[in-house]
Amino acid sequence: LFLFFQILGAVILGFGIWILADKTSFIAVLQMSSPSLKTGAYVLIGVGALTMLMGFLGCVGAVNEIRCLLGLYFTCLMVILIAQVAAGLVIYFQKETLKKELHDIVIDLIKNYDPSDDDERNLQDAWDYVQNQIACCGWTGAKDWEENEILINQSMTLYPCSCSNSSKDSQNKSGFCPLDDAVNGTATYTDWPVHEQGCMDGVEKWLKDNLGVILGVCTGVAVVELLGMILSISLCKNIHSEDYTKVPKS
């Protein structure tokens, strides 16, 4: 069980590092736009390192029958479990606020999307990757792209290549593609050969499809933590303090 916590700590630590290092997914969009996610990544790294250390201390305490280490192990497990429950409650009760913040982040990205802007290249490539992988366009739909300054200047005769549902654009997964049949040199988003689904619906669908797995993993981790707490307190009670009054006096 103590080895499990060392492995769990390594997984959490690796996940935190991945969030900071990832440049090609939806996580990258959030990380570069929201400082709270970057802070969360550092928290995950800290929790992962603490969990690994905690597993090591629990193992040493159990093998050598050191009550203070087992007590420390129990306390750390209880703190982590309470923090996990608190984080879950915050996410649940603040989900509308989080959804609005996410909406603002993506809309701002779409509005200022510019393939020639090298400073924002990683962020824009990450969003192109999201649209291409989820087969979606914009946050609520393709209409979101009508706010993009470049498309406005081009009278909507261009459209985002990563939104395309046409096979001819399969090689172009970023930037803008020209519309073939623009009427009088103008068009609207309804004329674009793009996916109708917004990425918000795609993300929500993915979460709903995988909700059982997510809840199962969270519940499993919580159960193992409770078992670890029970085991550590049981070992602690079974370790008897030395009775130094029975030591012969010289």
Side-chain angles (χ1 to χ4, degrees):
L1 189 61
F2 299 115
L3 177 61
F4 171 81
F5 280 104
Q6 286 188 298
I7 296 173
L8 178 63
V11 171
I12 296 172
L13 180 67
F15 185 63
I17 293 172
W18 172 70
I19 289 176
L20 290 177
D22 182 60
K23 302 298 181 186
T24 59
S25 72
F26 193 49
I27 294 295
V29 176
L30 299 180
Q31 185 218 130
M32 293 180 186
S33 305
S34 177
S36 58
L37 184 70
K38 189 171 287 188
T39 302
Y42 287 118
V43 170
L44 283 175
I45 291 172
V47 169
L50 177 63
T51 304
M52 291 179 68
L53 176 63
M54 185 182 63
F56 174 74
L57 292 177
C59 186
V60 172
V63 171
N64 296 293
E65 298 186 345
I66 304 174
R67 298 182 74 177
C68 66
L69 287 182
L70 288 171
L72 180 63
Y73 176 78
F74 173 85
T75 304
C76 289
L77 265 183
M78 184 170 63
V79 169
I80 289 176
L81 184 60
I82 292 172
Q84 287 173 341
V85 173
L89 290 173
V90 168
I91 291 172
Y92 178 78
F93 287 110
Q94 297 292 321
K95 58 184 178 182
E96 291 303 320
T97 303
L98 293 173
K99 185 184 288 188
K100 183 180 183 304
E101 180 182 351
L102 192 54
H103 171 273
D104 293 342
I105 288 170
V106 175
I107 292 301
D108 184 65
L109 167 62
I110 289 173
K111 183 178 179 180
N112 298 299
Y113 184 98
D114 182 355
S116 63
D117 187 356
D118 292 332
D119 294 336
E120 299 293 329
R121 179 61 56 83
N122 287 336
L123 182 59
Q124 293 174 167
D125 286 348
W127 181 243
D128 284 328
Y129 177 84
V130 171
Q131 292 191 136
N132 188 263
Q133 290 298 309
I134 301 180
C136 58
C137 193
W139 185 238
T140 58
K143 185 175 175 61
D144 293 339
W145 280 97
E146 286 195 323
E147 296 185 34
N148 180 269
E149 296 176 5
I150 293 177
L151 296 183
I152 291 172
N153 291 335
Q154 294 294 324
S155 302
M156 301 297 160
T157 56
L158 300 177
Y159 61 91
C161 299
S162 57
C163 285
S164 178
N165 58 13
S166 174
S167 58
K168 71 181 182 65
D169 297 321
S170 60
Q171 300 301 317
N172 298 323
K173 296 182 179 180
S174 63
F176 295 121
C177 293
L179 186 64
D180 293 333
D181 51 354
V183 179
N184 298 324
T186 61
T188 66
Y189 77 94
T190 56
D191 300 314
W192 298 343
V194 297
H195 299 290
E196 294 182 4
Q197 177 183 244
C199 294
M200 179 181 69
D201 294 333
V203 171
E204 288 183 347
K205 182 178 183 300
W206 182 89
L207 288 173
K208 287 177 181 177
D209 291 344
N210 294 275
L211 185 61
V213 175
I214 295 170
L215 290 176
V217 170
C218 293
T219 303
V221 170
V223 168
V224 172
E225 287 173 346
L226 284 172
L227 289 174
M229 291 170 66
I230 294 170
L231 176 62
S232 63
I233 205 71
S234 298
L235 287 172
C236 214
K237 285 183 177 181
N238 291 328
I239 296 173
H240 302 289
S241 299
E242 295 291 340
D243 188 357
Y244 290 104
T245 60
K246 296 180 181 180
V247 177
K249 297 181 180 179
S250 56

